[in-house]
PDB file of all heavy atoms in Angstrom:
ATOM      1  N   ASP A  67     -24.983   9.937 -25.481  1.00  0.00           N
ATOM      2  CA  ASP A  67     -23.731  10.243 -26.183  1.00  0.00           C
ATOM      3  C   ASP A  67     -22.541  10.261 -25.244  1.00  0.00           C
ATOM      4  O   ASP A  67     -21.413  10.393 -25.658  1.00  0.00           O
ATOM      5  CB  ASP A  67     -23.816  11.634 -26.858  1.00  0.00           C
ATOM      6  CG  ASP A  67     -24.530  11.540 -28.199  1.00  0.00           C
ATOM      7  OD1 ASP A  67     -24.266  10.565 -28.914  1.00  0.00           O
ATOM      8  OD2 ASP A  67     -25.304  12.453 -28.503  1.00  0.00           O
ATOM      9  N   ARG A 123      -7.317  16.908 -18.967  1.00  0.00           N
ATOM     10  CA  ARG A 123      -7.061  17.248 -20.389  1.00  0.00           C
ATOM     11  C   ARG A 123      -7.570  16.162 -21.288  1.00  0.00           C
ATOM     12  O   ARG A 123      -7.930  16.400 -22.452  1.00  0.00           O
ATOM     13  CB  ARG A 123      -5.603  17.531 -20.660  1.00  0.00           C
ATOM     14  CG  ARG A 123      -4.744  16.301 -20.370  1.00  0.00           C
ATOM     15  CD  ARG A 123      -3.263  16.560 -20.670  1.00  0.00           C
ATOM     16  NE  ARG A 123      -2.485  15.506 -20.028  1.00  0.00           N
ATOM     17  CZ  ARG A 123      -1.261  15.159 -20.392  1.00  0.00           C
ATOM     18  NH1 ARG A 123      -0.660  15.797 -21.412  1.00  0.00           N
ATOM     19  NH2 ARG A 123      -0.623  14.182 -19.793  1.00  0.00           N
ATOM     20  N   TYR A 152      -6.794  23.659 -34.023  1.00  0.00           N
ATOM     21  CA  TYR A 152      -5.820  23.387 -32.937  1.00  0.00           C
ATOM     22  C   TYR A 152      -6.522  23.085 -31.641  1.00  0.00           C
ATOM     23  O   TYR A 152      -7.562  23.641 -31.367  1.00  0.00           O
ATOM     24  CB  TYR A 152      -4.883  24.614 -32.767  1.00  0.00           C
ATOM     25  CG  TYR A 152      -4.080  24.972 -33.980  1.00  0.00           C
ATOM     26  CD1 TYR A 152      -3.939  26.294 -34.358  1.00  0.00           C
ATOM     27  CD2 TYR A 152      -3.454  23.982 -34.756  1.00  0.00           C
ATOM     28  CE1 TYR A 152      -3.163  26.635 -35.456  1.00  0.00           C
ATOM     29  CE2 TYR A 152      -2.694  24.315 -35.861  1.00  0.00           C
ATOM     30  CZ  TYR A 152      -2.549  25.666 -36.209  1.00  0.00           C
ATOM     31  OH  TYR A 152      -1.816  25.980 -37.292  1.00  0.00           O
ATOM     32  N   LYS A 230     -16.393  -9.519 -11.905  1.00  0.00           N
ATOM     33  CA  LYS A 230     -15.610 -10.758 -11.970  1.00  0.00           C
ATOM     34  C   LYS A 230     -14.137 -10.444 -12.205  1.00  0.00           C
ATOM     35  O   LYS A 230     -13.258 -11.118 -11.669  1.00  0.00           O
ATOM     36  CB  LYS A 230     -16.132 -11.658 -13.084  1.00  0.00           C
ATOM     37  CG  LYS A 230     -17.411 -12.364 -12.737  1.00  0.00           C
ATOM     38  CD  LYS A 230     -17.768 -13.353 -13.819  1.00  0.00           C
ATOM     39  CE  LYS A 230     -18.935 -14.209 -13.412  1.00  0.00           C
ATOM     40  NZ  LYS A 230     -19.309 -15.148 -14.460  1.00  0.00           N
TER      41      LYS A 230
ATOM     42  N   GLY B 183       4.833  12.064 -18.951  1.00  0.00           N
ATOM     43  CA  GLY B 183       3.694  12.690 -19.605  1.00  0.00           C
ATOM     44  C   GLY B 183       2.995  13.717 -18.729  1.00  0.00           C
ATOM     45  O   GLY B 183       1.892  14.118 -18.974  1.00  0.00           O
ATOM     46  N   THR B 200       2.175  22.285 -38.554  1.00  0.00           N
ATOM     47  CA  THR B 200       2.229  23.721 -38.821  1.00  0.00           C
ATOM     48  C   THR B 200       2.915  24.461 -37.666  1.00  0.00           C
ATOM     49  O   THR B 200       3.072  25.688 -37.675  1.00  0.00           O
ATOM     50  CB  THR B 200       0.840  24.345 -39.052  1.00  0.00           C
ATOM     51  OG1 THR B 200       0.080  24.212 -37.834  1.00  0.00           O
ATOM     52  CG2 THR B 200       0.099  23.704 -40.201  1.00  0.00           C
ATOM     53  N   GLU B 289     -19.732 -12.007 -20.190  1.00  0.00           N
ATOM     54  CA  GLU B 289     -20.955 -11.347 -19.817  1.00  0.00           C
ATOM     55  C   GLU B 289     -21.111 -10.053 -20.640  1.00  0.00           C
ATOM     56  O   GLU B 289     -22.229  -9.716 -21.121  1.00  0.00           O
ATOM     57  CB  GLU B 289     -20.925 -10.986 -18.318  1.00  0.00           C
ATOM     58  CG  GLU B 289     -21.160 -12.153 -17.351  1.00  0.00           C
ATOM     59  CD  GLU B 289     -19.925 -13.012 -17.141  1.00  0.00           C
ATOM     60  OE1 GLU B 289     -18.884 -12.796 -17.824  1.00  0.00           O
ATOM     61  OE2 GLU B 289     -19.984 -13.906 -16.261  1.00  0.00           O
ATOM     62  N   ARG B 345     -23.071  10.409 -31.492  1.00  0.00           N
ATOM     63  CA  ARG B 345     -23.342   8.984 -31.834  1.00  0.00           C
ATOM     64  C   ARG B 345     -24.820   8.671 -31.960  1.00  0.00           C
ATOM     65  O   ARG B 345     -25.203   7.787 -32.727  1.00  0.00           O
ATOM     66  CB  ARG B 345     -22.747   8.088 -30.745  1.00  0.00           C
ATOM     67  CG  ARG B 345     -21.327   8.401 -30.481  1.00  0.00           C
ATOM     68  CD  ARG B 345     -20.803   7.550 -29.351  1.00  0.00           C
ATOM     69  NE  ARG B 345     -20.606   8.338 -28.153  1.00  0.00           N
ATOM     70  CZ  ARG B 345     -19.560   8.164 -27.343  1.00  0.00           C
ATOM     71  NH1 ARG B 345     -18.653   7.275 -27.581  1.00  0.00           N
ATOM     72  NH2 ARG B 345     -19.448   8.895 -26.248  1.00  0.00           N
TER      73      ARG B 345
END
Side-chain angles (χ1 to χ4, degrees):
Chain A
D67 277 320
R123 62 179 164 158
Y152 299 138
K230 285 187 171 178
Chain B
T200 65
E289 286 80 352
R345 309 177 252 219

